Amino acid sequence: MAYWLMKSEPDEVSIDDVLAAPDRTLAWFGVRNYQARNFLRDAMREGDLVLFYHSSCAEPGIAGIVEVCSNAYPDATQFDPASPYYDPKATREQPRWISVDVRAVRKTALLSLKELRTIPALAGMRLLAKGSRLSVMPVEPHEWHAIDTLLGRA
């Protein structure tokens, strides 16, 4: 099993949206960065656990835990001209962008970015690196366990 962090703007998709979805499952769509896409396509597997991170909001932070519950497949939004994620260069024969389905495990008390920065065990975490903007990134096992321990106290 691998560990991940996936960012979403809560006004687009929040942890509450995943919890309210049928079977508590949603497609993770709209990733338009090649490195993040490659993580989805090449490294992410069913059963992997994910820190659900609310970004671009008043208080960014980890808001829950989800699990990957599908293999990678073409992101349908790339083919839809009405979608803000439409990509005219993508074809069904050669899709450029990938989705996976995620299922809610649990909502947590918000673990803010400010608080994450104070945890010594997370000093090397990709999320906390200067200029880090990836929406999908791996989380090291020791980072996951440090965060899981904090979330367990919430």
Side-chain angles (χ1 to χ4, degrees), residues 3-101:
Y3 301 108
W4 302 92
L5 182 139
M6 297 168 85
K7 293 180 183 176
S8 179
E9 296 177 13
D11 60 347
E12 182 154 348
V13 177
S14 71
I15 189 66
D16 290 328
D17 295 327
V18 183
L19 287 164
D23 297 323
R24 298 165 45 129
T25 301
L26 286 177
W28 197 271
F29 64 92
V31 172
R32 295 299 183 265
N33 172 284
Y34 287 105
Q35 186 176 11
R37 181 225 35 208
N38 293 349
F39 287 140
L40 291 170
R41 183 189 67 200
D42 301 335
M44 203 171 269
R45 300 288 178 259
E46 283 186 65
D48 287 354
L49 292 175
V50 180
L51 299 169
F52 193 110
Y53 185 91
H54 285 175
S55 66
S56 299
C57 56
E59 189 171 16
I62 296 167
I65 297 174
V66 298
E67 70 174 315
V68 178
C69 61
S70 77
N71 291 320
Y73 58 90
D75 179 344
T77 63
Q78 69 190 309
F79 308 121
D80 180 1
S83 170
Y85 299 107
Y86 175 65
D87 185 339
K89 294 181 181 178
T91 65
R92 296 202 185 272
E93 297 74 31
Q94 292 189 321
R96 295 173 63 150
W97 305 109
I98 299 298
S99 288
V100 297
D101 292 342

